[in-house]
Amino acid sequence: MPNRVPLILADGNPLILTALSEVIEGDGGLSLVATVKSVSSFLEAVRRAAARVAIVDWHLPQGGAEPALERLREMENAPRVVVYGSLDVPGIVRRSMAAGAAGFCPRSHPPEKLLEIVRLVAEGQMMFPFTDVRALNTDPMGQLTERERLLMTALARGLSNKALAREFDISVNTVKFHLRNLFEKLGVGSRAQAIALWYASPSAWRETA
């Protein structure tokens, strides 16, 4: 149907994939153009199908939603992504937003709520749970130590691990140790996500002013 929003559904659980597919196909405003079960098949579907929105399970096989979202940044005309997953995962809403998602729906919500979020995201809105978005407005960089802030500032300049080791006069292994602790504290899974969160933080502008 020409007026329906083309949609990709990505979930590794075949039961959930089938159940959500039936709900989506029964919706008059959405058109399911692909169902996939892994990150690689999701990225391939994005290349083949002209989808406006994608629903991606946080724990999608082959790495989860975060690497999938990072890869989408390299693609032209990539769909806007709604991540869905359990709020029991630490920092899941913040990490979804930092990775580039346009919306998040908890698994505890009924399918109708998920589809409502999809429709609003297709219209250009950002849809995240209110309480978690409010938490995002508290600067996550405020919890870093002075040394961690210096490390984060250097990381945001694009320095490699070897360059960071030279700058701080420590070993590369020590750099890796500090980065792991830094990423865990920020609730992110990679340097790209940490840098994205840094530039979204008021601290970045205070540091570079």
Side-chain angles (χ1 to χ4, degrees), residues 160-173 175:
S160 66
N161 286 356
K162 288 184 178 180
L164 289 170
R166 288 194 299 269
E167 177 135 334
F168 291 95
D169 195 24
I170 55 179
S171 70
V172 171
N173 285 337
V175 167

Side-chain angles (χ1 to χ4, degrees), residues 11 55-59 82-89 92-93 96 104-109 114:
D11 193 301
I55 300 173
V56 180
D57 173 33
W58 178 256
H59 292 297
V82 174
V83 171
Y84 74 108
S86 172
L87 289 173
D88 292 336
V89 177
I92 187 172
V93 176
S96 298
F104 177 88
C105 181
R107 276 190 176 273
S108 58
H109 284 13
L114 173 62

Side-chain angles (χ1 to χ4, degrees), residues 99-197:
F104 177 88
C105 181
R107 276 190 176 273
S108 58
H109 284 13
E112 294 75 18
K113 181 63 176 179
L114 173 62
L115 299 192
E116 178 187 346
I117 291 173
V118 167
R119 286 189 287 269
L120 292 171
V121 165
E123 294 173 1
Q125 297 190 42
M126 299 288 286
M127 297 298 300
F128 292 90
F130 172 74
T131 53
D132 290 289
V133 171
R134 184 173 58 185
L136 280 167
N137 289 333
T138 61
D139 187 356
M141 299 299 164
Q143 63 184 311
L144 301 184
T145 65
E146 182 178 356
R147 186 169 182 81
E148 287 170 338
R149 289 175 64 83
L150 291 173
L151 178 62
M152 189 65 246
T153 303
L155 189 68
R157 285 160 43 205
L159 298 186
S160 66
N161 286 356
K162 288 184 178 180
L164 289 170
R166 288 194 299 269
E167 177 135 334
F168 291 95
D169 195 24
I170 55 179
S171 70
V172 171
N173 285 337
T174 302
V175 167
K176 292 178 180 179
F177 172 78
H178 287 313
L179 289 179
R180 280 196 301 269
N181 289 341
L182 181 64
F183 297 165
E184 183 176 350
K185 183 176 285 191
L186 294 177
V188 300
S190 70
R191 63 199 304 131
Q193 292 163 16
I195 292 170
L197 194 60

Side-chain angles (χ1 to χ4, degrees), residues 52-106:
R52 194 186 310 172
V53 181
I55 300 173
V56 180
D57 173 33
W58 178 256
H59 292 297
L60 187 65
Q62 298 180 345
E66 285 178 299
L69 284 161
E70 290 181 5
R71 292 288 301 278
L72 287 187
R73 295 177 181 176
E74 305 168 5
M75 299 183 181
E76 294 184 4
N77 302 317
R80 307 189 82 209
V81 173
V82 174
V83 171
Y84 74 108
S86 172
L87 289 173
D88 292 336
V89 177
I92 187 172
V93 176
R94 183 180 63 198
R95 290 167 65 183
S96 298
M97 181 178 283
F104 177 88
C105 181

